[in-house]
Every structure is written in C-alpha cells, then in structure tokens.
Amino acid sequence: MKNKITLFLIFVMGVLTYTSSYAQEKKVTGTVTELSNLPLPGVNVLIKGTQKGVSTDMDGKYSITVAPGETLSFSFLGFKTKEIKVGTANSYNISLEEEGSKLEEVVVVGYGTKKKKDLTGSIVSVSSEDIASRPVVNAVQAMQGKAAGVDISSNERPGTVGSIRIRGSRSISATNSPLYVVDGIPLNSGGIDFINPNDIEAIDILKDASATAIYGSRGANGVIIVTTKKGKNGKFTLNYDTAVSTETIHERAPNMNAGDYIELRRWARYYSNPTAFAKGDAPTIANDRTIFLDTADPTAWANIEKGWATGTWDGSKVATTDWTKFVTQTGITQQHTLSVSGGSDKVKAYGSFGYMENTGTLKGQSYNRYNGVANIDIKPKEWFSMGANLNTSYGIQEFGQSTVGRSAVATSGGIYTTARQNLPYAMPFDANGVRIQNPGGDSTIRNVYDEDKYSQDQRMTLRAFGSFYSQIDFGGFSEKLSGLKYRVNFGPDITSYRNGVFLNGLSSARSGTSFASLQKQQTISYTLDHLLFYNKTIGNHDFGMTLLQSQTEYSMEENAMSAQNVLNVANKWNALTPANVTLAGYSSNLTKTSLLSYMGRINYGYDDKYLFTASGRYDGASQLAPGNKWSFFPSASLAWRLDKESFLQDVSWINQLKLRAGYGITGNAAVDAYATQPPLDPILYATSSGLVNNSKLGNINLGWERTTQYNYGVDFSLINNRISGSLEYYTSGTEDLLFDRGIPTITGFYTTYQNVGSTKGNGVELTLNTVNFRTNDFEWSSSLSCSWQKSKIVSLQNGKFNDINNNRFIGQPQGVIYGFESNGIWKPEDAAEMAKFNAAAGSTVFTFGNARPVDQNGDYKIDANNDRVIIGSTEPKFITGLTNTFNYKNFEFSFFVFGRMGYIYNAGGENLSGKTSQRQIDYYTDNNTNAAYQKPIFSAGTGDLYNTILGYKNGSFLKIRNISLGYTIKDKMADLIGISRMRLFVQASNPGMIFSKLKWTDLDTQTTSSNRGFTLGLNVEF
C-alpha cells in the first residue's frame, strides 16, 4: 500500500511539473514565405482555440507569445492554412502553399481526363465558378470572352443563342460550328442551350487539331466538352440557386421627332422633284397635303395641321408617336435550381430540377425552360462500376413576329425594326378609337400596335439526353492486369420539336389575310462506344493507351403544312383540316445518317518531363459518296516540362514551365444527307402528278473536307502561381472544301456540292491569370483571354480566280466587304469635278448632296467592273475578355470587359428615302452642305444609289458586359442560421461601352439597341 501511495505521488508531481513547464509562455518568432521563398506580409498567426493572434509584417516576420504545447494557425487568403504545435524551439519559419494551382487542375480531353500540367494539346477551360459568376440563361453566354480563340456572338432574343467560332471560319459551304460533347457523348444535333448552366461542372474547349483529331470527322471546327455535375463523396448537400433579372431596351440611335421628320420628308420630296415641291425650309400647306397624304389618313393629317395652326409652320406643335413603346416592355427573367448531391465510396448521386422564365424586352418574345437531371454512379466492387446520367429539358419559345408567311411590304428585321419605321406623326387609332391599319396612309407601312396579339411563332422542344456507362477494371482480378480497363458508353438522344405559326390579317407582316403553318420534327440518335484503356508506370516511364470503336446513328422525321386565309383566327394552327382551310403547302421528310469510327491513342511520359501523345482515327460517314466515305485522321503532340529540369531547379520564381508542339488532321463531312444523290421533287399537274429533278445536282465523288493544323504553345506558372497562363501560335489549312458551287443551268440543275478550293488561317492566343495584390483580407486578381486571328481563301472552284458574284476573293478572308469606296459627299465646291463625271456619263449621274464614290481608275465613270474594291473584312482580328475580381473578407466585387477589334462593320448607310421614319442624323441640305450623310431623295426604294458607301465603319469596341457585387455568409455565421454557405449578389448587365467608333450602334449585338438590366441572386447550400 505504501509503495502504491509513493508511486501515485510521484505521478502527480510529474504531471504538475510537465504542465507547469508547458504553461510557461514564451516568445516565438519566425518568417512566413511562399513556396518560392518570397515573404508574405499580412498573414494571420492565431493561437488555435483563442482569439489571440498577430499578423506578419512587410518582411513576412512575426512575433507572438505562446505556451509550449499550444498550436499556431497560419492563414492567408489564397493559401492553404497551416498549423504547427509549439515545442521547445523559439523560432518557426513557415512556407505556405497556394490553393488550387491552375496547372494542377484536371481537364476533360477526348475519352479521358488529364491534369493541365500533363496536357500536350491546346485546351482551355471554363469552370463552374466562371459560369456561376454571371447568371446566364445558357452556357454559351457564360463562355463569351472567357476562352482565348473562341468568338461568341450575342443574341438577345429569348431562347436563341449566338454563334460560336473556334479559331475562325475554315469552311465556305459546310458548317463552321464546333462539335459538342456532353458527358462523353458527342451530340448529333443541336447545341448545349438545353442544359441548365447550374448543372454544369466544367466546359473544356479543344482548339488545336492534336486535341480535336481524337474526334476525327467532326473535330475540324473545335470541340466543346461539357461535364455535368456528379455526386461526390461526403455528406449529402442541398443547394438552392435563384436569380431575378430585369432588363429594358437601351436605344443608342433615337428617331427624329415628328417635326424634324416632317422637314426631312419635305426635303426628300423637293430633291426628288424640285419643280413640283418647295424646299424643306419653305413649306406650304398645299404642298404638305400632297406630301403627307391628307385624305389617306385624316388622323395623321390632323396632327400635322397643328403645326399650321397659326398660319406659320411650327413643327414643335406636332405630337410625336414613339411606336417602339407599343412593342417593348420590361423583360423579367427568373431562374430557380434545386439540387442535391452526395455519396459514399459505393454510390454517388446528383439530382436537380431547374426552371427558367425569360420574358423578353419585346412583346411576344419569351422562353420558358424546365430541366430535370438525375446522375448516379455505382461501384459495388473495386473492379466494376457503372453509372447513368439523364438530362431532360422542355422548352417553350415564343419567337415573336414570324419570319415566314409574310405578304406585306414590311421589314424582316423584326417587330422592333418595323416599329422604328412607323411614321412619328401618325397615330395608332383615330378619334373614334378605331385601329388605323396603315398609319400615315402609306399601304407599305403597317400598324404595329398589339402586334403580339396578331402574330405568334411558338416553338416547343422536348429533349431527353442520356449518358450510360459500365466499366471493368481488370486489375481487380489480377495484379498483372493492373491498369487495364474496359468501358462501354451508350448515349441516346431524343428530341421532339413543334413549330406553330399564326399571322392574323391585321399583323404588320400581312396584307389583310391570315396565315398559319405547323411543323413537327422528331429526332432520334444514339452513340455506342467500346473503349479499352491501359495505363502502366515502370520506373520513370508512364505509358497510356486508349482504343475505341464507335457507332453513331441519326434519324430525323418531319412534316409540315400551311394555309392562307384561316377564317377562325382562334384556331391558329390547330385546325388545318380540309373542312376549315385549303392547304397552301404540305411536305414530309425522312433523313438518316450514320458514322462508324475506330480510334487509337497512345500517351507516353518520361520522368514527368517529356510528354508525347499520338492518335489516329478512322471514320466512315454515310452522307459521302461510295469509295469516299472513309478517311484517316492522325495527330501527334509533344510537351517538355522545363521546370523539372535540373538547370531550372534553383529558379525559385518558376513554378511550372512547359513547351508544347502539336500536329493533326481533322475532317468535315457536315453536308446534307443524300448530297451525293439528292432526291427528286414532286410536281402536281391538273390531272396527275410526277417527279422532276431537284435543283441540286448529286455528286457521286463527294469526299471529306480536311483541315491540317500545327500548334505551338507555352504553359507557365510563376512567382508561387501568382502569374499563370498560356501563349499559343497556330496555323491551319483546309483543303478539298465541301463547296456548294453554281453550275451551268443547261444541265438542268443550279448547284452541286464539290470538293474544290482551300483556305488557310493562323493566330496567336494568350490566356493570363494574375494575382495582382494580396493581403490577409484583400485580394485583387485578373483573368485575361485574348486572341489575334487571320484567315484567307487560297483557291476556289476555278483555282486562283476570284468569285466576285459570291464575294469570295483569293488571299482575303471570308466575309469581306466588296464595293465602292467612299469619298464623302458632293458639295458645291466640287462643281467642276462633278461636271466631268456627268459629262463622261452623258447624263446627270451626280448632283450636290449625293454620296460620292471613289473613281479608282480615274476615267470619270463609276462602274462595278473597275471601281469596286475590297473595303475590309467583317471578321474581327482581335477578340478579348478581361475579368477583374476584388475580394475583401466576405465581399466580392468584379467586372467583366469584352471586345472585338480590327474589322469593318457594314452599317448599311442611310436610305433617306423619306418613306419611313428616320434616326437622328446630320444630313445634307442646301443649308447644311458639310453634313455626314447625303441629301434625302423621296423614293419607294433607294433614293441615292450609292448611299451604302457611307455605312462602312470601324467596328472595334470594348464593352463592360457585367458588374457584380456579392457577399458570402459562411463558417460561424452560417452555422448560426443552420446552413453551410449562402451567397447574395447583385449584378448590372451591359452597363455601357468603354470604347466604340460607332456611337449609335451596339457593336456587340450589331443593332442600334441592346438590353440593359440588373440581377439579384441568392445561392444557398444546406
């Protein structure tokens, strides 16, 4: 017993002594640096479990009093938190590692994934964070300005996406659109606008042929790979994302008021016939009765008479009708997504439901979309896994005024353009409230009031897309088979589409009778892939192999009918039966295509320094001619990681540095099915029916269009990953173009597809991510993507000869403007020179105030053969996007700038015919001879034959697309309200231009107007 008490006392004394020694505080010092040994000022040094702490000084040094046994926590924005337990030492130097090095990120390549540091091809990524940074209605919008070398146009019509060009246009007649791959399955039709952006994990864009050749026949125009969100290990989380946006139309080119327009029309009448009409500044009421059709529309004339109330003209007394207010509204968009995610080692799942309602800023335009997603991955055994991803979408698009069924002389530019052309002095109703069908008395000008009630173009799309897989890992059976895997992918894609169009006889697009049409289309396709993977590491050698056999089938059935003079307008397109209407047209069609492919790819890496990838794909496309259906598409690429070499090991500011070079050939078979043997067209006679030749001649020798591309790049990460990105240069050449060329009509045909011609292109691309300034609570970072690109036509159907009729020129890009060059306007001081032109023509070709084209050959004649020149290209040479983000504690502020430069925009000039309303401009009159635009000449068509030469403008612009302010609630505050995380944000969209040569046009949308608005959003994670 005595011994036990003695031992107990010794134990207690030891514990007290141990505790006493650790309870005695002491001063601890040290330096905190980045991995590159640069000091980090402002690092939080906190005693764990307490609020006691200090911050490092400008040299990264700290000093803190702490008791041995306590833990110090070192935290800094953008770096991983590090903890150390204080022992007997008095100094602790700490090196912090930056979070999320971009070159360590995993990206999706064709039929697999790789870390960015191991890539040998040109690939750029857009993350879910990038997509979430702007509450867009489709993923295409989220990519704009975020990926170097990718040009995306803007389209503000609800339910419609802009076009995408990756590294410019290559083909002339075939498509230049990229291939879309969703969850490993290439899409056989449509784009990715049916996918809810909140369900996307990442978008990886394959740009060069060494990366895209893995997709062979469909990779010529680049590949966009979309990976949707999947379940992850850990607890199940519930997320709710919502955003509400309001938008209004911002008009940059306001129309003239009634008084100003009346004066312009007077001048237009005078210049069209000076002997019959007075000058615009010397009006008479008698002339005005003729000019403004006083009896055709008494209401409009009564308004004009207000200006003559005192006997002397006063244009300010005439009321102005803003017709655009009858077709515009405040656009409201609301988005809601509820998702759940989680899983274990055996089962992972993700599900979501999304709803989006996008009401446009133009009446009659809207888009509603419902999304349902269910993804599950199961791994019951270590050697076996399988999964199913199902993405369904149901969309209803109200397109607005239809582009088909027109009979009135009205613009096809849409209802807003039609409204802007309505006369400002005319009224929608007379004094009795009766709708005036032709305001102003002109039969070619139609009333747009209530146009959304008289015109409907409704498009409904139901799409179900699936991606199913199962995979066997043979390494689970035997160690000798480690790295060998077999995978089967199956991707069904079903789309049901219905388009109903109805135009009431009162519509501005009709001339008194109604029109209805109905089109239905069903598309069914699938892709079945068999894949074999083998990966092995032996010492410093890494080997990888991928083998593929793929089969794709596509089938589309469609039928359509239309009718004129639908008597019961309530039926719209729903009762097109012989009892109700006489059908004006009907048709049905069936299209089937298939693609069979074989592919092999090898990867090799030595010592994580030298990387090599080679692939070959053999494709057969059914739409090409027998004997030309199959082609082989090879690629190869190399990469050298210089940062791993011994001569750079001591260069602390280089984190990663890699050189890349790649080569590849891709193909394009994107022509209509049966282009080699087009079908016969039916023809109806009075007593029977028959068949006639299709207008397009079949080509039994039609083969592949092939693009060869070389790519050179450098990937870098410097100064502890504070500067990272890539710089690339590429060249491409496309041969055997799928050219839709004209042929002599004596053959009985008009055109045919043929493999003729070639194009070339080259460009430079820069992606740059920087952390410009960083303290413990504040960080300013930037993300820049910019590209320079140039393309040209090398040869056409007749070799090195220009195709002037189709605006195609050897050595020039596609989309050039070919016409007469502007030399301003003929002025009185040019009388002697102008007389020479009129004398050479033998008639009065020009008068003062006319647009003045350049006489290129000096013969005093303006003719199309000798005086037209290439004005410029409509394809931008420079495309850029810049995002600046500022983080302060839980606040985040960012703005996104987007621009295109180095191209000519064809604004079309100003017609100035005095027939329709006119935007405010500086036009020529006898009293204003130094004007920017020509004199008005009244005409039912074009007053001045050369007015378009004044419309060629520099199209360069730089625009703020988005400004965002957000606040994130997390950690302890989030725990208090029972959530994991919550983010509130407010954003401004399209707030304004930074730079533009053309002030009256939004060069992003290439219209005089664009939408501006605000968004309020909320993201909650439970």
Side-chain angles (χ1 to χ4, degrees), residues 169-172 176 220-221 666 668 704-709 732-738 756-761 792 794-795:
S169 298
R170 301 169 182 82
S171 185
I172 292 180
N176 283 290
N221 302 314
T666 52
N668 194 344
W704 291 91
E705 180 178 290
R706 296 167 65 87
T707 297
T708 302
Q709 192 172 110
S732 66
T734 302
E735 297 180 341
D736 296 329
L737 296 173
L738 291 168
V756 291
S758 59
T759 61
K760 282 187 177 181
K792 65 179 180 180
V794 177
S795 64

Side-chain angles (χ1 to χ4, degrees), residues 635-672:
S635 75
S637 54
L638 296 164
W640 177 20
R641 292 197 58 189
L642 279 78
D643 58 280
K644 293 292 184 177
E645 295 291 355
S646 58
F647 56 80
L648 288 181
Q649 290 300 300
D650 295 330
V651 183
S652 59
W653 56 272
I654 296 179
N655 302 110
Q656 291 184 334
L657 183 63
K658 179 174 64 176
L659 301 179
R660 291 183 284 106
Y663 155 84
I665 298 176
T666 52
N668 194 344
V671 295
D672 296 334

